[in-house]
Amino acid sequence: MNLSDKIYVLGAGAIGFPLAAYLTHAGRTVFAVRTSQQNVGPGTVSVSVQNGTNRISTPVETISLAKLSHIDGMIVITSKSYANPEIARALRAKAAIGPIIIMQNGVSVETPFIDAHFSSVYRCVLYATGQTVATYDFTFRPINPSPIGVIQGDGADLERCVEALTTAAFPFRIEANIQREIWKKAVINAVFNSICPLLDIDNGVFVRDAAARDLALEIIHECVTLTDRLNLGLGLGLSENELMEQLLRISQGSSGQLISTLQDIKQGRPTEIAFLNLEIARVAAALQPQLTLPRTEFLGKMIEAKSRYNQAIHANG
């Protein structure tokens, strides 16, 4: 994996397009691959990304996954996690070659790629926010360098993948204990992706509102009860204070930004709540003895219901 090797960004949305734009702007060979559109032939679009006062506009190569005859380079998954089974099947059918970096938040999102027997699978935990302003126009804000670590394989390509993906505008770092980062961010996302959409409010609510902070702490408390039970095998060692401090830093740093679940609900799209609150609750319920996370699960079910309702409204015009 060299800096001149091809990078395929699968899932050209509020994270995928900014990533592809920054990499293209830095001189990498990048393809923004549409996974939800089947008939996008090879072409170029002008992508603009605004980060505070910094703005870039750059031509990005695009193509749909269905139109790719073969894939021979780094594969970065930035699509919605509910599409992973279909994407894994498509990549396997095309005999895709190269490491897979799953750039999604949530628990168990890597399972379809493990089940498809890809040899090198990495997880990236995103500490960045992106929002679509218009077609091919995005706002983007990194909070911290996003960690990448090994899920499957010997990790031989990890350092080179991190180097190839990193730009000043969208930084990454190597993480030895990626499971701890996955669970830490999943707990934080279980707060943001349930409370913010239900209140129909931006990410900054937790630094502005004491009642929202109290509810966030209740969810964190439930989830830490679970991670304490999982700690022996995964080395998680999460603390409520650490999680709350990080949640408030993210809330402060992304004030004014809408969490992806709220964006999806407003657009009548499915959400990824099944891999956040509902998957966390499922893992807890599968333990022996069983553990229940009532607030975490209930808020997840409320998001599921709200998403279903809004999808029906959009479908009926």
Side-chain angles (χ1 to χ4, degrees), residues 194-206:
S194 60
I195 295 176
C196 292
L198 291 173
L199 294 178
D200 194 14
I201 203 163
D202 69 284
N203 294 352
V205 63
F206 301 105

Side-chain angles (χ1 to χ4, degrees), residues 124-129 140-147 168-173 181 184-185 188 245-247 249-250 253:
C124 172
V125 178
L126 285 168
Y127 286 108
T129 61
F140 177 82
R141 188 183 304 170
I143 308 301
N144 286 307
S146 296
F170 198 162
F172 299 89
R173 65 175 178 83
E181 293 295 322
K184 183 168 67 173
K185 187 63 189 303
I188 291 170
E245 288 172 4
Q246 183 154 355
L247 182 141
R249 285 197 301 271
I250 294 172

Side-chain angles (χ1 to χ4, degrees), residues 70-116:
H70 66 282
I71 300 176
D72 54 348
M74 187 192 311
I75 303 163
V76 182
I77 311 294
T78 65
S79 60
K80 296 296 184 180
S81 49
Y82 51 74
N84 285 359
E86 182 178 349
I87 291 172
R89 285 193 295 270
L91 292 175
R92 177 52 63 199
K94 295 175 186 293
I97 300 171
I100 294 175
I101 299 95
I102 303 168
M103 205 169 286
Q104 299 166 333
N105 293 317
V107 177
S108 304
V109 300
E110 67 273 11
T111 300
F113 300 95
I114 294 173
D115 291 346

Side-chain angles (χ1 to χ4, degrees), residues 127-240:
Y127 286 108
T129 61
Q131 192 167 325
T132 303
V133 177
T135 304
Y136 308 127
D137 191 359
F138 305 88
T139 60
F140 177 82
R141 188 183 304 170
I143 308 301
N144 286 307
S146 296
I148 302 178
V150 179
I151 294 294
Q152 182 159 283
D154 60 11
D157 288 321
L158 179 57
E159 182 176 351
R160 287 174 288 177
C161 287
V162 171
E163 182 183 6
L165 289 173
T166 293
T167 60
F170 198 162
F172 299 89
R173 65 175 178 83
I174 293 173
E175 173 56 51
N177 189 351
I178 195 62
Q179 287 295 342
R180 187 177 193 275
E181 293 295 322
I182 288 169
W183 276 93
K184 183 168 67 173
K185 187 63 189 303
V187 173
I188 291 170
N189 276 116
V191 174
F192 278 103
N193 291 64
S194 60
I195 295 176
C196 292
L198 291 173
L199 294 178
D200 194 14
I201 203 163
D202 69 284
N203 294 352
V205 63
F206 301 105
V207 295
R208 301 192 302 261
D209 186 83
R213 285 196 299 275
D214 289 342
L215 183 54
L217 189 57
E218 291 181 24
I219 297 173
I220 287 172
H221 175 73
E222 285 187 351
C223 292
V224 168
T225 303
L226 169 60
T227 60
D228 283 347
R229 290 274 299 272
L230 298 173
N231 186 52
L232 183 62
L234 299 177
L236 302 180
L238 302 182
S239 75
E240 293 182 25

Side-chain angles (χ1 to χ4, degrees), residues 271-301:
T271 75
E272 298 175 290
I273 202 69
F275 299 95
L276 294 169
N277 298 56
L278 299 181
E279 179 64 11
I280 290 170
R282 186 201 66 76
V283 171
L287 293 175
Q288 295 296 331
Q290 183 178 5
L291 181 63
T292 59
L293 310 179
R295 291 171 181 80
T296 304
E297 184 173 17
F298 177 73
L299 291 179
K301 288 181 176 179

